[in-house]
Amino acid sequence: MRTLRTALVALAVAFPAAAAPKLQAWVTTGDKSQLMAAHPSSGPVSAEAVKGLPLISVDAQERHQTIVGFGAAITDASAWLIQNRMSPAQRDQLLRELFGRANGGLGFSFTRVTIGASDFSLDHYSLDETPEGAPDPTLEHFSLTRPEQFVFPTVRAALKINPNLKVMHSPWSAPAWMKTTGSLVKGELKPEAYPVYADFFARYIKGAEKIGVPVDYLSIQNEPDFEPDNYPGMRWRPEGRARFFGENLAPVFKREKITTKVLDWDHNWDKPEQPMTVLADPKANAFLAGVAWHCYMGDVSAQEPVRAAHPDKEMFLTECSGGEFAPKFDDSFSWMMENLIIGSTRGGSRGVLMWNLALDEKYGPHKGGCGDCRPVVTIDSQTGAVTRTQEYYAFGHASRFVKPGAVRIGSPAKLGDLRTVAFKNPDGGRVLIVLNVGQQPTAFAIGDAGERFKASLPARSAATFQW
């Protein structure tokens, strides 16, 4: 007996009992009294201690999509401000805060850049400008000079901080000489330009990657169902996009050995029939990696039927912007948490992007388009000082804690006034994001594999819980 007892003691020393998990919480309230404020950690409690409370049950056995990341677009405006209106020390500090994880950094691991100009550019330009708009079928005038001025250096600086950063690229318009209007504004792609436009994308991808800017994801047209009247844009109907994917871009990618993943749509939730039409084309379907969504019209629930019909395709939310059209912190913060961070990921999104990473105090610079769009951070154009917006805190609740490679796991979509989404990080740690949309504080329990934690949230607030 003594020998057995001695052996058991030795085993206990060699394999000590696992420590009880600790629940950590970071809270943002609608009244801004707490902004990603850390709360003291707490241990598990008995089932009796949470009896009668709503239970958020987290199920790590229920596995959904793998996460690429969260972030915002490095637009021309954002990059110009970062490179020209900040000192080197300010620039480094901001990029480390946004793309790094040390010292409470947000850890952005997904971004988007424009191929040519958008409304958030200082002027309207393409990457193949020709004298008097003459055709350029051999792409003799193709150049990456413009993105190399400010955007690509900013992307490379972010990559040095976060080498896992994934970069999506999207054009607002084909070069003017390829279009029915002969202009970057309005119009459609001429059918005879399809082959050269496929070559244009190959030239762009290989050129960008050669100078250290990866093209992990590509969409061929930002908002193809919209022709803005004062900044670059281009209508591209689903039948035409399907033909371009299958008959033009796919063969060029194969010839050039390009592995960039291509996404269709890159537009609002209100017309899911458009990506469904494209994916119904066998050649386009075989080529496409997935579908990209914007938030400006429709409802996030539109993602679900497309995901259900094409479970092999990836989903992303690739653009949404706050702005002074929704100025109240509590309203816009709650909307973003419910629809982008929680709703879009529950709808299958592997990544979620805000629009401008940075703008100045006048919501610019921009040329046409939105005059009051709000960025993730505002940079004072005179001093370089940084102001963090509600977008910063909404996205921080996900990006800082949900690591690339995390898997979305089971949790209830709604529980009274609570909205939730849960993830399992690559190291096995759990992340639960909870939003209280109600006007009253709410106490609740969190359950995971037999453990119970007690938690609460003030009215109109969100928290990230980690254990």
Side-chain angles (χ1 to χ4, degrees):
M1 182 64 72
R2 183 176 298 169
T3 303
L4 178 59
R5 187 179 296 117
T6 302
L8 290 172
V9 169
L11 280 171
V13 171
F15 300 99
K22 291 284 189 180
L23 183 76
Q24 296 177 283
W26 292 261
V27 176
T28 296
T29 55
D31 64 6
K32 298 194 282 186
S33 61
Q34 299 182 65
L35 296 171
M36 286 181 65
H39 285 227
S41 60
S42 59
V45 298
S46 68
E48 187 66 27
V50 293
K51 187 175 180 180
L53 292 178
L55 174 65
I56 299 173
S57 182
V58 175
D59 182 3
Q61 301 306 310
E62 180 186 325
R63 297 172 62 87
H64 299 278
Q65 77 272 22
T66 302
I67 299 301
V68 169
F70 302 84
I74 300 175
T75 57
D76 284 352
S78 300
W80 183 84
L81 285 165
I82 289 168
Q83 297 294 334
N84 291 280
R85 290 296 181 263
M86 305 188 89
S87 69
Q90 288 175 319
R91 183 185 314 133
D92 183 68
Q93 182 177 351
L94 177 62
L95 292 176
R96 288 187 183 281
E97 178 180 346
L98 294 173
F99 294 96
R101 293 193 180 275
N103 304 313
L106 296 194
F108 279 175
S109 56
F110 191 28
T111 191
R112 183 176 180 225
V113 301
T114 69
I115 301 174
S118 73
D119 46 332
F120 283 91
S121 298
L122 280 72
D123 62 300
H124 296 167
Y125 67 92
S126 79
L127 303 186
D128 197 300
E129 301 282 353
T130 60
E132 299 181 356
D136 184 20
T138 62
L139 301 176
E140 178 186 350
H141 296 276
F142 178 87
S143 173
L144 293 178
T145 299
R146 291 300 298 270
E148 260 299 284
Q149 287 180 319
F150 310 117
V151 174
F152 283 2
T154 307
V155 173
R156 287 192 294 265
L159 280 160
K160 283 186 179 180
I161 296 164
N162 181 1
N164 293 318
L165 180 69
K166 301 299 182 187
V167 188
M168 178 185 177
H169 301 244
S170 306
W172 265 236
S173 171
W177 55 268
M178 296 187 190
K179 297 175 64 182
T180 55
T181 55
S183 167
L184 296 177
V185 179
K186 293 192 172 183
E188 300 186 39
L189 188 68
K190 295 176 181 176
E192 60 267 30
Y194 277 34
V196 68
Y197 202 29
D199 289 337
F200 173 96
F201 282 116
R203 181 81 63 92
Y204 175 83
I205 291 167
K206 297 184 85 170
E209 292 182 339
K210 187 175 181 179
I211 53 179
V213 177
V215 186
D216 299 292
Y217 292 91
L218 171 77
S219 72
I220 60 168
Q221 177 58 41
N222 175 74
E223 300 188 344
D225 197 51
F226 178 48
E227 291 177 77
D229 60 8
N230 63 1
Y231 65 93
M234 188 173 80
R235 190 176 298 276
W236 203 342
R237 301 171 203 278
E239 296 81 6
R241 300 198 308 272
R243 180 160 64 87
F244 181 75
F245 288 133
E247 298 180 11
N248 301 107
L249 202 58
V252 168
F253 272 35
K254 183 177 180 180
R255 182 191 76 207
E256 300 294 331
K257 297 181 172 59
I258 292 172
T259 58
T260 295
K261 292 184 175 184
V262 180
L263 307 174
D264 182 47
W265 192 219
D266 212 7
H267 206 168
N268 291 326
W269 290 318
D270 63 332
K271 293 186 178 178
E273 66 274 11
Q274 284 228 15
M276 290 288 274
T277 297
V278 172
L279 290 170
D281 180 280
K283 288 184 179 179
N285 188 303
F287 175 69
L288 284 168
V291 177
W293 302 93
H294 294 186
C295 76
Y296 304 112
M297 295 182 71
D299 186 84
V300 65
S301 61
Q303 292 183 199
E304 181 54 34
V306 179
R307 187 205 61 78
H310 298 280
D312 59 320
K313 300 304 180 187
E314 302 179 39
M315 296 283 164
F316 290 87
L317 191 288
T318 53
E319 187 184 314
C320 193
S321 183
E324 291 312 295
F325 45 82
K328 291 184 63 180
F329 184 99
D330 59 343
D331 287 343
S332 50
F333 174 78
S334 181
W335 189 92
M336 284 182 284
M337 292 299 300
E338 182 168 11
N339 290 279
L340 307 183
I341 303 303
I342 296 174
S344 184
T345 54
R346 292 195 70 92
S349 287
R350 299 191 63 206
V352 185
L353 288 170
M354 286 304 289
W355 184 208
N356 290 279
L357 183 71
L359 293 174
D360 66 19
E361 67 279 7
K362 295 180 181 178
Y363 311 104
H366 69 97
K367 188 171 178 60
C370 182
D372 61 355
C373 279
R374 195 168 48 233
V376 172
V377 296
T378 298
I379 296 174
D380 187 294
S381 60
Q382 301 302 312
T383 67
V386 172
T387 303
R388 295 152 190 84
T389 67
Q390 47 264 60
E391 286 75 13
Y392 175 99
Y393 296 104
F395 271 65
H397 270 285
S399 64
R400 185 173 159 191
F401 307 99
V402 181
K403 309 294 175 58
V407 175
R408 184 172 72 83
I409 57 176
S411 72
K414 296 182 180 181
L415 197 64
D417 286 333
L418 303 179
R419 309 289 184 264
T420 88
V421 66
F423 305 89
K424 180 181 178 181
N425 272 328
D427 64 1
R430 313 292 203 255
V431 177
L432 173 68
I433 299 171
V434 183
L435 170 69
N436 179 9
V437 300
Q439 301 296 328
Q440 300 296 325
T442 300
F444 53 93
I446 300 170
D448 175 26
E451 300 284 7
R452 295 288 185 272
F453 300 97
K454 191 173 183 179
S456 63
L457 268 178
R460 306 279 283 169
S461 65
T464 301
F465 298 96
Q466 191 173 44
W467 66 97

